[in-house]
Each structure stands twice: as structure tokens, then as C-alpha cells.
């Protein structure tokens, strides 16, 4: 089962990522722009996700993904850590969110991390 330490380890392994406490929880930022948080007593993560994709994820896997009421108007989705298959799935989710927040210079400097699906 994936936990907060796995999230922290993976996030901080991504280029130019820092951890900062905000709203009384750990948040992770690339070049100062937030891409992941550890809410709900660190049992889930919130990550960037385009609204269309987010809605499809929630419909397809409601036990894994959901939308917090206060984030409904934003391109963020919550992910329950306990139901992730493995660290590869967690890394894919976090890397995708990182790509959406990362500046072009980092995306170009780390092509192995890929580009955002819509970019």
C-alpha cells in the first residue's frame, strides 16, 4: 500500500520540486507552482488533472478518484492512496501532475518525463 512517505519520495525526486506546508498540510511545488497536496490526514493526494479527464476518472473508478467540493471548479482530483496498485501507478499520477505545473524550460530539460497530454 502506498503512503505519504512514498508520495514525498516520488514528488521530491521530480526536478525542481520543493515541499511546503500550506493549509496545515504538505504541498509539493515545481518551480513554485503547486502540483500535489497530502490532505485527509495523508491518506489521499490531490493532483492537477484537466476537468474532462478528471470527470472520466471519477466515473470510471469512484473508489479511487473523487472531487472535493471546494475543488470542483478547479482542475484537481483526489486519489485514495490505499487503492493504488503500486508505486508505478503513484509515480505516473504524480509525474502527470508535475508536467501540468512545470514550466516549459523543465519540460524541455527532462524530455523523459514527457509533455502534458494537452500541451
Amino acid at each position: 500500500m502506498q503512503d505519504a512517505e512514498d508520495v514525498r519520495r516520488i514528488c521530491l525526486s521530480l526536478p525542481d520540486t520543493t515541499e511546503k506546508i500550506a493549509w496545515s498540510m504538505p504541498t509539493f511545488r515545481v518551480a513554485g507552482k503547486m502540483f500535489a497536496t497530502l490532505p485527509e490526514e495523508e491518506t489521499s493526494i490531490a493532483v492537477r488533472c484537466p476537468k474532462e479527464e478528471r470527470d472520466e476518472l471519477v466515473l470510471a473508478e469512484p473508489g479511487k478518484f473523487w472531487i472535493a467540493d471546494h475543488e470542483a471548479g478547479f482542475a484537481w482530483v483526489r486519489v485514495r492512496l490505499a487503492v493504488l496498485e503500486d508505486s508505478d501507478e503513484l509515480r505516473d499520477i504524480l509525474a502527470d501532475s508535475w508536467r501540468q505545473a512545470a514550466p516549459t524550460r523543465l519540460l524541455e530539460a527532462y524530455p523523459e518525463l514527457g509533455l502534458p497530454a494537452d500541451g
Side-chain angles (χ1 to χ4, degrees):
M1 182 173 87
Q2 304 306 296
D3 62 20
E5 287 310 309
D6 296 314
V7 172
R8 184 170 281 110
R9 176 180 48 78
I10 292 169
C11 283
L12 294 175
S13 75
L14 295 168
D16 204 10
T17 294
T18 57
E19 181 176 351
K20 179 181 177 181
I21 299 296
W23 308 286
S24 301
M25 70 179 135
T27 67
F28 299 91
R29 299 158 191 259
V30 55
K33 194 170 181 183
M34 193 165 45
F35 71 92
T37 68
L38 271 165
E40 279 84 46
E41 299 177 354
E42 301 186 355
T43 61
S44 69
I45 55 175
V47 293
R48 291 176 173 268
C49 185
K51 288 182 186 177
E52 285 181 17
E53 289 178 32
R54 174 190 75 178
D55 295 344
E56 290 173 12
L57 288 171
V58 171
L59 285 172
E61 297 184 78
K64 186 181 291 187
F65 300 100
W66 88 101
I67 302 166
D69 291 341
H70 68 280
E71 293 170 346
F74 302 97
W76 286 81
V77 68
R78 299 284 177 100
V79 185
R80 290 175 179 88
L81 292 173
V83 297
L84 292 177
E85 292 177 23
D86 54 27
S87 62
D88 288 341
E89 184 178 20
L90 177 59
R91 176 175 288 283
D92 287 348
I93 290 168
L94 290 168
D96 186 57
S97 186
W98 179 90
R99 283 189 294 272
Q100 292 175 61
T104 303
R105 68 176 170 78
L106 285 176
L107 296 174
E108 290 172 350
Y110 297 92
E112 70 277 9
L113 290 171
L115 295 171
D118 62 353

